[in-house]
Amino acid sequence: MPLFRNKWTPLFLSNFLGVYNDNFVKNCIIFIAVGWAMPKWMTQSQLISLVSASLVVPYLFLSPWAGRLAVVYSKKSVFRLCKLLEIPVLALACAAFQYHWVMVAVFAVLLMGILSCMYSPSKYSLIRDIGGEEGVSFGSGIFEMMAFLGILIGTVTASVVSDRYHPWIVFLLFIGLAILGYLVTRSIHVNELPENKDGAGTLNPVRFLIESFRFARQHTNVNSAVFGASAFWLIGGMLQMNLVIHCKQVYHTSNTTTGTVMACAAIGIALGCWAAGRISGKEVKKGLILI
């Protein structure tokens, strides 16, 4: 008997737990590890930048490989394997927190970023396999909502835990959520489209970027939209990273309050997406972009 009656539930829940884990681990380091003895060359601001970049950098270099995995192999199997590998990675993070190893903690976040990158194309492709063409819009929308929810709750949870820090609470959450994520992923049942063992496409990240740009240029405003979204996330990322230091040094707030302020960015984005969708209706209204 399947664990979930709704066919979408395990996929959406797996996505939420993955994003939650990434952001919970990252923000635990940002709020807790800043108090550890750090290398002489590293400041608190540099640690925050380094740990934040560790989740993103793998996407710059490994996206072509991740896309190939989703084509050549079973997407469900790729997703499950990566979620299984999260368990030893988070065990490494536990060791880093136990012995205050800053660089090991950052390395664990980098490994989490690599795993997230490698299964991202597979999990997004499963939306179509589960819901068909008519379910793509619904599935993609809920995916984005669950992602922002994971960012929001992961950030707030890390800030609250850091103010009441006890190693075993962190260890329990790290390992427990990793195991739960794997079990939920195993409950995904779907008839996938057949694999393509030929696996067309380049694995060179630079060539992949160039080819993607040229392909998008064939479609009006696609590259402009990509650059606009990138600029938006650049501003948002800079804001969130600076808030950690600013709130502590200028406002002298607790980690919980700082985490709540950071989470407001995710709340604002979610509300903005909802408002834009309601106002736009069935049409894309470009006039909203400048506003």
Side-chain angles (χ1 to χ4, degrees):
M1 183 177 178
L3 182 61
F4 300 100
R5 292 187 177 183
N6 190 300
K7 61 182 180 179
W8 290 105
T9 303
L11 182 62
F12 293 156
L13 186 56
S14 295
N15 186 48
F16 166 78
L17 289 171
V19 177
Y20 176 89
N21 262 352
D22 289 345
N23 283 272
F24 179 66
V25 175
K26 180 190 80 172
N27 285 291
C28 275
I29 295 174
I30 289 175
F31 288 121
I32 298 171
V34 291
W36 300 346
M38 290 188 287
K40 294 181 179 179
W41 56 268
M42 182 184 290
T43 65
Q44 290 185 349
S45 299
Q46 289 170 335
L47 173 61
I48 293 170
S49 299
L50 185 61
V51 72
S52 298
S54 296
L55 276 179
V56 179
V57 167
Y59 287 85
L60 300 178
F61 300 99
L62 299 177
S63 291
W65 289 89
R68 176 69 63 87
L69 288 177
V71 173
V72 175
Y73 300 103
S74 163
K75 296 181 283 292
K76 185 169 57 178
S77 298
V78 172
F79 198 8
R80 284 180 179 177
L81 176 61
C82 290
K83 296 299 289 185
L84 178 62
L85 292 175
E86 278 188 1
I87 299 174
V89 169
L90 286 169
L92 178 65
C94 289
F97 273 75
Q98 177 66 31
Y99 298 104
H100 293 188
W101 294 333
V102 174
M103 295 311 298
V104 175
V106 174
F107 180 64
V109 174
L110 177 64
L111 293 177
M112 290 287 287
I114 291 173
L115 290 175
S116 296
C117 170
M118 298 309 288
Y119 70 64
S120 280
S122 296
K123 73 175 182 180
Y124 275 97
S125 297
L126 285 172
I127 295 175
R128 181 189 57 189
D129 291 340
I130 291 177
E133 294 292 337
E134 66 278 6
V136 170
S137 295
F138 168 77
S140 299
I142 300 298
F143 244 50
E144 290 300 307
M145 184 186 75
M146 298 304 285
F148 284 117
L149 190 62
I151 294 171
L152 172 65
I153 298 179
T155 301
V156 173
T157 305
S159 65
V160 172
V161 167
S162 66
D163 276 335
R164 299 157 180 81
Y165 179 64
H166 189 284
W168 286 105
I169 296 177
V170 174
F171 300 164
L172 180 64
L173 288 171
F174 279 1
I175 302 300
L177 290 170
I179 293 173
L180 178 61
Y182 171 68
L183 293 176
V184 171
T185 305
R186 282 192 61 85
S187 68
I188 296 174
H189 297 285
V190 56
N191 295 320
E192 298 184 45
L193 296 175
E195 299 91 1
N196 178 9
K197 297 299 181 181
D198 295 331
T202 180
L203 296 178
N204 184 312
V206 177
R207 186 178 300 172
F208 176 78
L209 183 62
I210 294 172
E211 290 180 357
S212 298
F213 175 79
R214 289 174 176 171
F215 175 79
R217 194 165 55 182
Q218 300 173 17
H219 304 274
T220 306
N221 293 329
V222 171
N223 279 325
S224 297
V226 171
F227 292 139
S230 299
F232 170 78
W233 284 113
L234 172 65
I235 296 169
M238 291 176 64
L239 173 65
Q240 277 208 316
M241 285 190 289
N242 279 281
L243 276 174
V244 179
I245 302 297
H246 184 77
C247 286
K248 288 185 177 181
Q249 293 185 352
V250 178
Y251 305 135
H252 307 291
T253 60
S254 65
N255 288 335
T256 301
T257 303
T258 302
T260 304
V261 173
M262 293 170 63
C264 286
I267 296 173
I269 292 170
L271 289 175
C273 291
W274 173 82
R278 294 287 293 180
I279 295 171
S280 297
K282 297 182 179 180
E283 298 179 0
V284 177
K285 297 183 179 179
K286 298 178 184 178
L288 291 176
I289 297 174
L290 185 59
I291 297 174

